[in-house]
RNA sequence: UCGGGGGUCGUCCAAUUGGUAGGACACCAGCCUUUGGAGCUGAGAACCAGGGUUCGAGUCCCUGCCCCCGAGCCA
């Protein structure tokens, strides 16, 4: 345990400690547990989101820091909601995050037989009984926050009768909902979870792994502690809403007298401008509001990955938000900070014109072209240089030109000179308009002496623009994303931001981008970080997703 | 109403367990710049309230206040 001291801080020098780490260290010190073994127990009924990444990183982090083990275990106790598709997606996501579970991949449903035996044991101890009440009746007799519940009329069945009925439930003799197995605790308990909770319900439904073998399925409260116990979990970490369930978790384990892990709860992650609700995701996908669970606007891990987030940036984020018990709302700007920080160091710079405006350089010889040396990454000299074609006709960004410049605008306008990145200074002579008066082309002249972007006479320009040679440009689609919701604290009913996706269909990309691979990440100079879409991008028609924009003090100033 | 939790800069998390309240993000100012990017420097900014104990309280004790979770045969 001497290594706990220097493993306190993980990547990026995050917060020094948290209450869970301290509790685990204490348990090791007092000998409550000889080592550390954690687990991440998703139900395979949806895709994982960044809130799960936080949980995974806590579970895995605690195991790693104390030299322990980490299991991935599917809590697949409800066949009505669970599917293999989700199992596969979750495994991929957990691996992507980098929580190593080795061969410790488990399924709660594999323990059904053992759970059944333990239930029989509880019946024999007269701690559980078969109840004939309907779901509605159970609900009605449970009481409420201020009133105690009433005992089930079947609460005092004999052990023999209970054993018989329970085995017949298992055998499939009764229809769905006809009976349940309930723990005999206390219908007047102030904690509603302790009022004779249901342990098993009858479900004539095929399980994605167990097939038609089972007609009864265990409830979460009954199953979860048993799963933890079977796997020898020491610290069963979960979110705050299970605090009320801990007494029940403990009760089952104590009644059985089996190995007893310790449950510790922490606050789940909330982020502004988004929702962390599986139900909402399913709804958005079903209604076609988003493309799928991996839509880049969703905070699912699959969505973030497709958007261009790296697992490292998500882990850095998780380390920084820490672990605590109080409710919080993390600013999504923090997540964006970590992906910018990483991509600033690693993403090659390229030029792409999103909303093209043609520029014709009158004094550049017709038919001539040349290759310009461009830095791949000013943050990283080892990234080298590449050659980009330059010619008489170019595209620049529409928003980089203003016929009558507003105050503080120092890009291109008639009579003004700017630098084309890595290339030449150009001066605008004239804006050509169509019949309707829209600007369709700029007539400019360049200064051959400024090749490379410097003027020998030392004159300065206030602005540098990105550009793409018209003759060589690759056309592609660029998808710009904004927050999924305009409401900083959306409810599940909040409308989706109508501008959450803007697809620009005819962007002009520098020719090298033709060979970009799915998932490959770039900085589009002056605009942001983009990655090749992993689903819709083709060689002929590349598609890029904007991961996050560059910080933009101009637009900030402009809004004032 | 009952039970379980929780209140520290705008946001998130710390404070060696009673000894100068700190970091990150965000924001603001300045510098620098062949990305209005990046980078650098600096500033502002908090202990829910009121009592008490103590030389000394974010930390211990009282009394309030506010917030979250819980009444699925979901997890």
């Amino acid at each position: 345990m001497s290594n706990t001291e220097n493993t306190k801080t993980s990547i990026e020098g995050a917060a020094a400690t948290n209450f869970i780490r301290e509790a685990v260290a204490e348990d090791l010190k007092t000998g409550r547990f000889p080592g550390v073994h954690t687990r991440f127990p998703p139900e395979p009924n949806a895709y994982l989101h960044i809130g799960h990444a936080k949980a995974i990183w806590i579970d895995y982090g605690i195991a790693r820091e104390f030299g322990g083990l980490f299991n991935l275990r599917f809590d697949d106790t409800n066949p009505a909601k669970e599917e293999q598709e989700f199992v596969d997606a979750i495994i991929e996501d957990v691996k992507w995050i980098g929580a190593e579970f080795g061969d410790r991949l488990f399924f709660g449903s594999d323990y059904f037989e053992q759970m059944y035996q333990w239930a029989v044991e509880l019946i024999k101890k007269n701690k559980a009984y078969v109840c004939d009440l309907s779901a509605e009746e159970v609900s009605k007799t449970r009481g409420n926050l201020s009133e105690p519940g009433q005992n089930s009329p079947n609460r005092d069945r004999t052990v023999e009768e209970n054993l018989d009925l329970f085995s017949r439930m298992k055998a499939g003799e009764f229809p769905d909902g006809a009976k349940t197995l309930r723990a005999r605790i206390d219908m007047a308990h102030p904690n509603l979870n302790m009022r004779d909770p249901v342990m098993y319900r009858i479900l004539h439904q095929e399980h994605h792994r167990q097939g038609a073998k089972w007609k009864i399925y265990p409830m979460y409260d009954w199953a979860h502690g048993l799963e933890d116990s079977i796997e020898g979990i020491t610290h069963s970490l979960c979110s705050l809403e299970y605090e009320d369930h801990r007494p029940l978790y403990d009760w089952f384990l104590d009644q059985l007298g089996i190995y007893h892990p310790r449950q510790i709860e922490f606050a789940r992650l909330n982020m502004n401008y988004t929702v962390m609700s599986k139900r909402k995701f399913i709804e958005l996908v079903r209604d076609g509001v988003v493309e799928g669970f991996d839509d880049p606007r969703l905070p699912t891990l699959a969505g973030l990955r497709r958007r261009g987030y790296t697992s490292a940036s998500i882990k850095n984020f998780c380390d920084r938000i820490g672990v605590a018990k109080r409710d919080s709302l993390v600013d999504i700007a923090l997540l964006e900070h970590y992906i910018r920080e990483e991509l600033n160091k690693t993403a090659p710079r390229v030029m792409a014109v999103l909303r093209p405006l043609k520029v014709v350089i009158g004094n550049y010889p017709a038919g001539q072209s040349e290759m310009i040396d461009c830095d791949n990454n000013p943050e990283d000299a080892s990234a080298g240089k590449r050659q980009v074609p330059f010619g008489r006709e170019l595209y620049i960004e529409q928003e980089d030109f203003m016929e009558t410049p507003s105050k503080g605008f120092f890009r291109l306008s008639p009579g003004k000179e700017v630098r084309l990145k890595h290339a030449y200074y150009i001066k605008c002579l004239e804006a050509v308009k169509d019949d309707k008066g829209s600007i369709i082309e700029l007539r400019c002249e360049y200064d051959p002496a400024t090749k490379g972007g410097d003027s020998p006479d030392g004159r300065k320009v206030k602005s540098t623009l990105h550009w793409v040679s018209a003759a060589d440009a690759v056309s592609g689609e660029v998808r710009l994303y904004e927050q999924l919701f305009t409401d900083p604290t959306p409810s599940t009913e909040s409308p989706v931001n109508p501008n959450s996706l803007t697809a620009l269909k005819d962007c002009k990309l520098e020719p090298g981008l033709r060979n970009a691979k799915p998932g490959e990440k770039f900085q589009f100079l002056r605009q942001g970080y983009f990655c090749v879409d992993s689903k819709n991008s083709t060689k002929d028609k590349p598609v890029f997703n904007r991961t996050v924009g560059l910080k933009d003090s101009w637009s900030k100033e402009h809004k004032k």
Side-chain angles (χ1 to χ4, degrees):
Chain A
M1 224 196 71
S2 57
N3 64 338
T4 57
E5 279 308 305
N6 51 21
T7 52
K8 267 187 171 181
T9 47
S10 47
I11 44 178
E12 290 290 308
T17 189
N18 64 56
F19 76 99
I20 294 179
R21 219 181 314 226
E22 284 174 3
V24 172
E26 180 70 13
D27 286 344
L28 255 20
K29 205 167 84 184
T30 62
R32 178 169 174 175
F33 297 105
V36 173
H37 197 154
T38 62
R39 103 270 92 115
F40 175 63
E43 182 188 18
N45 68 343
Y47 277 58
L48 262 28
H49 54 62
I50 190 166
H52 295 111
K54 169 182 175 176
I56 292 166
W57 204 235
I58 291 169
D59 293 329
Y60 175 70
I62 288 290
R64 187 196 52 192
E65 286 155 27
F66 290 95
L69 295 173
F70 166 77
N71 294 358
L72 172 59
R73 179 180 72 231
F74 286 92
D75 203 358
D76 53 350
T77 57
N78 186 352
K81 294 173 146 190
E82 298 154 7
E83 293 171 27
Q84 188 61 38
E85 178 202 346
F86 296 127
V87 171
D88 298 337
I90 288 169
I91 290 173
E92 185 186 353
D93 286 344
V94 173
K95 285 183 174 169
W96 181 62
I97 285 298
E100 294 161 25
F101 52 89
D103 58 358
R104 288 178 307 285
L105 169 64
F106 302 110
F107 293 84
S109 59
D110 286 341
Y111 312 142
F112 281 176
E113 184 59 39
Q114 172 67 266
M115 291 178 192
Y116 178 79
Q117 295 304 330
W118 275 328
V120 168
E121 202 177 317
L122 235 46
I123 292 172
K124 287 179 178 166
K125 288 181 173 174
N126 207 18
K127 296 289 184 187
Y129 62 95
V130 173
C131 176
D132 299 344
L133 257 29
S134 69
E136 200 184 329
E137 289 166 326
V138 168
S139 167
K140 224 175 276 174
T141 53
R142 185 161 18 235
N144 56 45
L145 297 184
S146 48
E147 284 166 35
Q150 297 129 41
N151 285 170
S152 162
N154 310 303
R155 200 169 197 263
D156 293 314
R157 280 214 245 246
T158 64
V159 168
E160 290 67 33
E161 197 181 353
N162 282 322
L163 252 17
D164 174 58
L165 254 17
F166 188 48
S167 71
R168 288 164 61 192
M169 281 168 64
K170 185 193 183 202
E173 286 188 29
F174 308 111
D176 286 5
K179 295 184 189 314
T180 56
L181 183 74
R182 297 176 70 181
R184 186 205 303 277
I185 307 180
D186 178 4
M187 287 306 292
H189 199 108
N191 180 344
L192 269 41
N193 294 127
M194 300 296 272
R195 320 248 259 227
D196 289 13
V198 171
M199 297 164 61
Y200 278 95
R201 75 283 217 187
I202 299 171
L203 243 34
H204 291 264
Q205 190 139 170
E206 288 210 12
H207 187 276
H208 68 105
R209 297 194 91 236
Q210 306 298 328
K213 183 178 174 193
W214 293 90
K215 313 300 178 196
I216 54 172
Y217 288 91
M219 297 288 290
Y220 169 86
D221 285 309
W222 166 243
H224 202 86
L226 305 184
E227 293 166 6
D228 285 342
S229 182
I230 288 167
E231 292 178 15
I233 299 304
T234 56
H235 300 270
S236 183
L237 312 178
C238 60
S239 49
L240 248 34
E241 65 261 35
Y242 293 101
E243 267 176 329
D244 280 350
H245 295 251
R246 179 161 19 98
L248 186 50
Y249 180 101
D250 292 335
W251 190 88
F252 283 131
L253 262 14
D254 288 343
Q255 296 307 316
L256 257 15
I258 57 177
Y259 169 73
H260 193 150
R262 183 210 322 195
Q263 175 178 305
I264 301 176
E265 311 85 11
F266 59 88
R268 50 191 299 166
L269 169 67
N270 300 297
M271 262 199 308
N272 55 12
Y273 297 105
T274 192
V275 289
M276 228 69 83
S277 152
K278 288 179 175 182
R279 204 202 104 229
K280 185 64 178 177
F281 297 160
I282 291 166
E283 194 183 303
L284 292 169
V285 171
R286 185 198 61 209
D287 297 347
V289 177
V290 297
E291 240 184 78
F293 289 104
D294 63 350
D295 189 290
R297 290 168 288 180
L298 253 23
T300 53
L301 296 182
L304 290 166
R305 184 164 56 230
R306 191 172 162 200
R307 174 87 169 245
Y309 275 84
T310 61
S311 60
S313 66
I314 291 172
K315 287 182 282 196
N316 284 332
F317 170 77
C318 288
D319 282 331
R320 179 53 66 192
I321 60 175
V323 184
K325 299 193 75 158
R326 71 177 83 115
D327 295 318
S328 64
L329 184 67
V330 177
D331 192 340
I332 199 165
L334 188 61
L335 212 213
E336 295 179 340
H337 162 76
Y338 281 108
I339 189 60
R340 281 198 192 98
E341 178 184 69
E342 178 177 348
L343 262 17
N344 178 44
K345 291 180 199 133
T346 60
R349 271 61 170 170
V350 294
M351 293 193 285
V353 174
L354 269 32
R355 295 174 176 89
L357 172 61
K358 170 89 64 86
V359 166
V360 178
I361 301 172
N363 61 338
Y364 194 88
Q368 185 178 310
S369 72
E370 64 188 299
M371 297 305 279
I372 303 286
D373 256 1
C374 298
D375 289 327
N376 284 329
N377 189 344
E379 302 291 315
D380 176 13
S382 71
K385 291 178 185 294
R386 71 188 184 290
Q387 299 228 299
V388 177
F390 182 92
R392 190 170 194 265
E393 299 196 350
L394 310 166
Y395 293 110
I396 65 165
E397 213 67 58
Q398 285 172 21
E399 64 175 29
D400 282 339
F401 177 80
M402 276 183 97
E403 191 170 24
T404 46
S406 62
K407 187 166 152 284
F409 181 88
F410 40 87
R411 283 113 95 171
L412 202 57
S413 51
K416 290 281 164 47
E417 188 174 48
V418 298
R419 170 167 44 234
L420 295 180
K421 179 77 176 176
H422 296 306
Y424 296 99
Y425 286 9
I426 61 167
K427 183 187 282 184
C428 177
L429 304 175
E430 182 194 359
V432 181
K433 297 178 182 174
D434 63 12
D435 305 341
K436 295 182 198 115
S438 334
I439 297 164
I440 52 169
E441 184 180 305
L442 261 28
R443 299 278 164 80
C444 300
E445 66 177 13
Y446 84 123
D447 177 356
T450 57
K451 180 160 187 179
D454 272 318
S455 71
D457 63 9
R459 74 180 190 278
K460 300 287 184 198
V461 288
K462 283 186 122 174
S463 185
T464 301
L465 309 186
H466 60 277
W467 52 274
V468 171
S469 160
D472 305 280
V474 174
S475 287
E477 177 176 335
V478 174
R479 297 174 182 169
L480 306 179
Y481 299 102
E482 291 180 14
Q483 315 297 15
L484 225 205
F485 298 93
T486 50
D487 183 349
T489 56
S491 70
T492 49
E493 283 81 47
S494 297
V496 166
N497 176 4
N499 300 320
S500 61
L501 168 63
T502 304
L504 302 172
K505 305 281 189 182
D506 192 29
C507 304
K508 303 298 183 185
L509 317 172
E510 67 170 68
L513 252 18
R514 200 189 313 268
N515 301 314
K517 306 276 185 300
E520 202 171 345
K521 297 162 177 62
F522 300 92
Q523 184 195 102
F524 286 3
L525 225 56
R526 301 206 300 137
Q527 306 193 94
Y529 298 98
F530 295 75
C531 77
V532 180
D533 187 75
S534 51
K535 254 192 178 167
N536 304 142
S537 192
T538 63
K539 210 163 170 74
D540 293 336
K541 187 78 199 285
V543 177
F544 287 83
N545 295 320
R546 182 171 68 189
T547 309
V548 65
L550 253 24
K551 289 213 253 176
D552 182 357
S553 58
W554 159 253
S555 67
K556 200 180 285 179
E557 186 75 22
H558 203 56
K559 276 180 198 153
K560 284 181 184 171

